Amino acid sequence: MIVADDVTKKYGSTSVVDGVTLTLPESGITSIIGPNGAGKSTLLSMISRLMSMDRGTVRVEGLDVTTTASDVLARRLSILRQDNHMTARLTVRDLVSFGRYPYTKGRLTHEDRTHIEAAIGYLNLTELSDRFLDELSGGQRQRASLPWCSAGTPTMCYSMSRSTIST
């Protein structure tokens, strides 16, 4: 469960997010809908600790995002930003493997490989799994960017491009 209480962000004297309180259930999909500039991405950035809050608290599974160690929080949150530009020569499998990093620090076990293969299979990427990201079409790259989130089995995975949270 994710709980935000009185979350506020200001730029100068302008409030971008003003006193938002919400509770996201343990499972399901939540969409945050609003016009450009309404603060959707700012709210999600504060929930995920990518941006500091001016006021308020956010808890993920009871853990305060401002004080929880990064490696502990990374086991519960995964973020897929709209502007994911990667220049490294990675395969789809390499990218998905990054979702296990908070658990393994780069030393993959058999269990980790099982999670990785399950995430690849879930999005029907098996035939693309050994291809390099820069060889894929734009749509294939977008699809290949999603399973790293599920490979880590997080509490919250969200896409900044659609401001949708899957818990």
Side-chain angles (χ1 to χ4, degrees):
M1 179 181 301
I2 299 167
V3 178
D5 184 37
D6 196 30
V7 175
T8 299
K9 180 68 176 179
K10 292 182 178 188
Y11 295 113
S13 61
T14 304
S15 289
V16 179
V17 174
D18 191 14
V20 172
T21 297
L22 59 86
T23 300
L24 301 175
E26 290 184 28
S27 63
I29 295 175
T30 302
S31 291
I32 300 173
I33 300 169
N36 289 345
K40 302 177 301 288
S41 293
T42 301
L43 175 62
L44 293 175
S45 292
M46 290 185 294
I47 288 173
S48 61
R49 194 170 72 182
L50 294 175
M51 179 182 291
S52 63
M53 296 172 270
D54 291 327
R55 187 177 75 228
T57 60
V58 173
R59 295 190 182 284
V60 175
E61 292 184 355
L63 301 173
D64 186 325
V65 299
T66 60
T67 59
T68 301
S70 294
D71 62 332
V72 173
L73 192 59
R75 293 179 185 158
R76 290 161 175 84
L77 297 175
S78 292
I79 300 117
L80 175 61
R81 294 191 54 93
Q82 182 174 5
D83 54 358
N84 277 343
H85 299 291
M86 292 178 222
T87 57
R89 187 121 164 107
L90 299 172
T91 66
V92 170
R93 182 172 281 105
D94 294 335
L95 178 63
V96 176
S97 297
F98 289 156
R100 297 302 300 166
Y101 187 82
Y103 301 87
T104 67
K105 302 294 188 253
R107 295 178 186 91
L108 297 174
T109 66
H110 177 72
E111 179 185 351
D112 298 308
R113 288 183 181 85
T114 300
H115 283 290
I116 291 162
E117 293 308 316
I120 288 171
Y122 182 74
L123 286 174
N124 299 319
L125 290 167
T126 303
E127 67 183 45
L128 300 175
S129 63
D130 293 318
R131 292 200 35 208
F132 290 103
L133 295 173
D134 62 358
E135 298 172 349
L136 303 179
S137 71
Q140 289 171 324
R141 268 194 307 276
Q142 182 96 11
R143 216 171 82 218
S145 296
L146 291 173
W148 71 266
C149 182
S150 61
T153 61
T155 299
M156 176 179 131
C157 174
Y158 76 79
S159 167
M160 295 283 288
S161 63
R162 291 192 166 49
S163 295
T164 298
I165 302 170
S166 177
T167 54

